[in-house]
Structures are given as C-alpha cells and as structure tokens.
Amino acid sequence: MSLPGLAGGRWRIDRPLLVLIHRYVGLTMAGFLLVAGLTGSLLAWNEELEAVLSPALFRVAPPGPEARPLDPLVLRARVQELHPQAFVARAPLKVEPGHSVTFRLFARPDASGALPELANDQVFVNPYTGEVLGARKWGDISQGPKNLMPFLYRLHFSLALGSVGSYLLGIVALLWTLDCFAGAYLTFPARQRNRAQRTPGKSWLARWWPAWQVRWTGGSYKLNFDLHRAGGLWPWAMLFVLAWSSVAFNLSEVYEPVMKMLFAHQPDGPASRNRAAPQLEPRLGWFEARETGRRLMAREAQAQGFAVQWEDALTYDPRRGLYSYRVHSDRDLSQHWGSTQVSFDANSGALVYVWLPTGAASGDTLRTWFVSLHMAALWGLPFRLFVCLLGLGVAMLSVTGTLIWWRKRQGRVKMAGKRMAENPAVAHTARLDGQ
C-alpha cells in the first residue's frame, strides 16, 4: 500500500494540484491584498502625508530661535486637566523640533462601570506654549481629511471592520504566508522524467533563470505571466516578511505558538496583575514615575550591557497598576520609536519586568525585525521607498494573478465550445444535462 504523494519512498509534490491550490488561494486573497498593498504603499509616508493633509495639527513654529519645548509631563497634565472625562495614559518623552505632541485619550468608566464614547480621542498640543491645536477621533473619516491616513490604516489593518476585519486579514495573511512557498515552488523548472527530456549542458539553476526574467516583447499574456512570476521571485524574502508579520499583527493565536515552539522568548509580564477595578491615581505620580524609570533603566543598561540613546515614552496601565518606561537604545532597530522597556509597580516602584527588542531572546529579535521591516522603520528614505514600491508590487501581483486566471478560463471555455461544436453528440448531452 502506497501513501499519496510518495514515490520511491520519497515525498513528491503533485504539481497540478499545487497549481490549483495556488490559483484559487490567490483568487481568494486578491481583493484583500490589493487593498493592503495600495494602502501600505501610502502608509510608508504616513507622517509626511499627515502633515500635508493637516498642517495645523502636526506642524508648529518655535516662537524664537532660543525657544525650548515644555516638559512633556507638564503638557500631559494640561491635557488631562482639560479632559476630566478621559484619562491620558501615555506621555511622549521625545519632542521633535517643529512637530506637535500627540496625546491619546481613553474614556473613564462612568458610575455603572461602562466606558462612554468620546467625541475625540487624540489631542494635538503645541510643545512650546501648551496650546491645544486641535483634536480628532482617530480613524473617523466623517471628520474629513484630518482622518484620511488613520482611516487608510484601519483599511490596511482591519478593512475598517474592527476585530472581525482584523481576524479576516489575519487568515488571509496566513494563507499568503503558505502561498509564498507554493508560488516559489511553481517557478522551479519542471522535473525531467527521463534523459530524452534533459537539455544537455543546462544545470537546474540555468533552467530556473528564465523564471526571473520578463519577456517585454512576447505579447500581453506572456508579459502579464512574467510580471506575476518574476514579480513574486525578486522580492520573495520581503513578501514573506510582510505576510508572516501580518500574521503576528492580526492572528497572534497562530503566530505566537509557532514562534514560541521554534525560538526562545523573554518572559511575558505577569497577567495576574489585572485589577478588579482600574487604579487611576497610583501612589507614584508621573514625575516620580519618570525618575523611577530612569533609575531602573540605567541599572538594567549597566547590568545587560546596552546604551540608552533617548527617552521615548512613559505609559501607565491602570488595569494592571504598572508604569512602562520606554527608551531607544542600541538594542533597537527602529529609527522612529524605542522598544527597550522597564515596567514597574505604580505604587512601590518595584521592577516587574524588562523587555529588550534584540539580543535577549531569538524569538523577540526576529519579531522586532519583522515589525521594523513591515513598517519601514529602518534604513531611512531608501527603504521607505522600497516598501512603498513593494506595496504597489503586491497590488500588481493580485491583478496579474487574476488576469492569468481569467485568460486561462476564457481559453478553457473556448476549447470546450470548440469540442462541443465538433461533436454534436457531446453538445446534445450537455444540453440535456443543463435542463
């Protein structure tokens, strides 16, 4: 008794079956990847486009050449005072010259414990004067152009459908990850079954090389086919990174067990710290918490041999009673944010856990690379341009794959019609079957 797929004791992939799987998985994903690719190419320039669409919210002019921004914690306190119905849980600690500072608002529970809907959940502040420049409800496109980029992010991440869309795109990302390998395999030269089929003097790599090329003058079908095949081969590694990192973002139920089975990870923060009721006023105030974070971070930097480069943010989680102090260190990859973090008890200041983006555990290092590559957060302008073009490439692969299927379908329909015309008995049977 032989097992399907086995030949001579070795696994053999059924190529026609793999073609069918690749075709129909590709058709299933095409629309989703078209949206993800186009929105992703725009999101590579998110900060610049936000400033162009809403300069009054994102750009500020220093009042003088010697002007210095106010302490970010002072700005946070002012925003908190202006919005008593909300809680400002995060204070950015790095202020970019000429840029506003953004604070996120979270609804406070009312008397019944429910969270009321906030009219706006982002506030933009002039760091030199403390003046509020404006506000928006992140992602609400009904507020106009100031929410266009957040809305595109919602489309990119969840089709603007919330958790349902996020899970749906997570499933698509998982199919895409698997299809990366199926698509690559189908570009390999067909197996030569006997010596008569073999081309003298041509190695396997030489026979594979045409798959990397585009026949620009071979007609529309060949051009479309080559763009699809070569367009998936040249950036294959980065396409895999985009696909698997999307699984990490949207389908952690799959990503985390797989990666934790294969690679070491740093311990997660204690989940048992969740409180029955949020503690909105911990014993440590924000200024004292920042000093505690600085002290703990300096101690960990000395103990673990990394260097702090700049402060990034201080966050308080009232559900767990934890402050998290983040910096950008030489363990970070991103040029835009810091992920080196110490978290400590908001009442006692005792260290709870430390998280390093690279160098501490291989699984966390890989995830940091995946996230930084996906979000074009390293290597400056050239890599952002590459990611922008790659997003357009993903859209192109979706379109060319659909066109290949449509052309082949038309050919099959035409051939079936020809066979029926040549054989009236077959046509008569087909008509009876259709009745």
Side-chain angles (χ1 to χ4, degrees):
M1 178 179 178
S2 62
L3 294 175
L6 284 175
R10 293 185 299 176
W11 284 102
R12 179 170 59 85
I13 297 175
D14 187 337
R15 194 179 184 96
L17 177 60
L18 195 61
V19 169
L20 284 176
I21 293 172
H22 178 67
R23 177 186 302 159
Y24 289 107
V25 167
L27 286 172
T28 301
M29 299 187 301
F32 299 106
L33 294 185
L34 180 65
V35 172
L38 293 176
T39 54
S41 65
L42 290 172
L43 289 170
W45 313 101
N46 181 68
E47 292 183 11
E48 291 81 0
L49 291 173
E50 286 267 57
V52 168
L53 292 167
S54 305
L57 295 181
F58 289 91
R59 293 286 185 255
V60 294
E66 302 299 323
R68 294 291 180 268
L70 299 172
D71 189 319
L73 296 186
V74 171
L75 298 176
R76 181 210 162 268
R78 290 187 181 181
V79 173
Q80 182 65 81
E81 185 179 358
L82 290 171
H83 297 85
Q85 81 287 2
F87 182 68
V88 185
R90 180 180 183 274
L93 297 179
K94 183 183 180 184
V95 179
E96 296 281 356
H99 290 69
S100 64
V101 179
T102 307
F103 292 93
R104 184 74 184 265
L105 305 179
F106 295 89
R108 290 176 181 260
D110 58 20
S112 66
L115 296 175
E117 185 80 11
L118 295 177
N120 293 294
D121 55 18
Q122 274 190 329
V123 177
F124 301 86
V125 179
N126 185 324
Y128 301 101
T129 65
E131 174 194 2
V132 173
L133 303 173
R136 70 182 180 186
K137 189 172 183 61
W138 187 88
D140 183 358
I141 193 61
S142 68
Q143 291 186 343
K146 66 182 179 180
N147 256 320
L148 178 59
M149 295 310 297
F151 180 72
L152 290 179
Y153 182 87
R154 288 179 59 211
L155 282 176
H156 184 77
F157 182 74
S158 66
L159 302 174
L161 296 175
S163 59
V164 173
S166 180
Y167 273 110
L168 183 58
L169 282 183
I171 294 170
V172 169
L174 182 59
L175 291 174
W176 186 18
T177 302
L178 299 174
D179 195 54
C180 280
F181 294 96
Y185 179 84
L186 290 174
T187 69
F188 294 167
R191 183 184 178 188
Q192 296 176 321
R193 298 180 180 275
N194 52 59
R195 292 186 178 181
Q197 290 180 323
R198 294 177 186 172
T199 305
K202 273 205 169 186
S203 67
W204 185 89
L205 286 175
R207 291 187 292 114
W208 191 29
W209 175 240
W212 296 77
Q213 299 174 306
V214 177
R215 294 165 290 184
W216 298 101
T217 59
S220 61
Y221 178 78
K222 288 182 179 179
L223 175 61
N224 189 73
F225 181 84
D226 289 352
L227 285 173
H228 186 77
R229 184 173 60 177
L233 273 177
W234 284 103
W236 185 91
M238 190 61 191
L239 291 174
F240 170 75
V241 166
L242 292 181
W244 187 234
S245 58
S246 298
V247 177
F249 293 141
N250 289 47
L251 206 62
S252 59
E253 296 89 340
V254 173
Y255 176 88
E256 290 186 4
V258 170
M259 296 299 284
K260 287 182 177 180
M261 179 177 63
L262 298 174
F263 303 101
H265 286 71
Q266 297 168 86
D268 295 326
S272 59
R273 290 188 61 93
N274 285 341
R275 299 171 177 270
Q279 183 186 12
L280 296 174
E281 299 294 339
R283 292 176 188 168
L284 291 180
W286 283 79
F287 288 90
E288 190 177 358
R290 180 172 60 182
E291 293 307 313
T292 302
R294 286 171 174 171
R295 175 175 52 82
L296 293 173
M297 185 64 74
R299 188 179 74 188
E300 291 300 320
Q302 183 176 12
Q304 303 201 46
F306 63 86
V308 175
Q309 295 167 338
W310 39 265
E311 293 181 305
D312 184 69
L314 179 65
T315 304
Y316 175 59
D317 183 350
R319 297 164 300 181
R320 303 173 72 191
L322 283 181
Y323 277 109
S324 293
Y325 173 75
R326 287 192 173 196
V327 301
H328 188 282
S329 75
D330 55 8
R331 298 288 186 92
D332 278 283
L333 298 176
S334 166
Q335 298 171 340
H336 303 289
W337 64 80
S339 300
T340 305
Q341 174 179 309
V342 292
S343 294
F344 51 94
D345 188 278
N347 295 313
S348 67
L351 180 67
V352 176
Y353 68 97
V354 181
W355 197 87
L356 300 179
T358 64
S362 57
D364 294 318
T365 297
L366 281 171
R367 183 177 181 124
T368 299
W369 274 103
F370 287 149
V371 171
S372 301
L373 289 169
H374 189 119
M375 302 187 73
L378 65 171
W379 302 328
L381 182 62
F383 189 68
R384 292 171 68 196
L385 180 60
F386 171 73
V387 171
C388 175
L389 294 176
L390 190 64
L392 297 177
V394 170
M396 181 271 292
L397 291 173
S398 301
V399 172
T400 53
T402 303
L403 289 175
I404 290 169
W405 166 78
W406 179 250
R407 288 286 298 273
K408 288 188 174 182
R409 181 182 182 278
Q410 284 184 315
R412 288 192 297 270
V413 170
K414 185 176 180 180
M415 185 60 67
K418 184 177 179 181
R419 284 199 302 266
M420 292 175 67
E422 292 174 349
N423 191 338
V426 173
H428 178 69
T429 304
R431 283 195 297 270
L432 291 177
D433 290 342
Q435 291 178 352

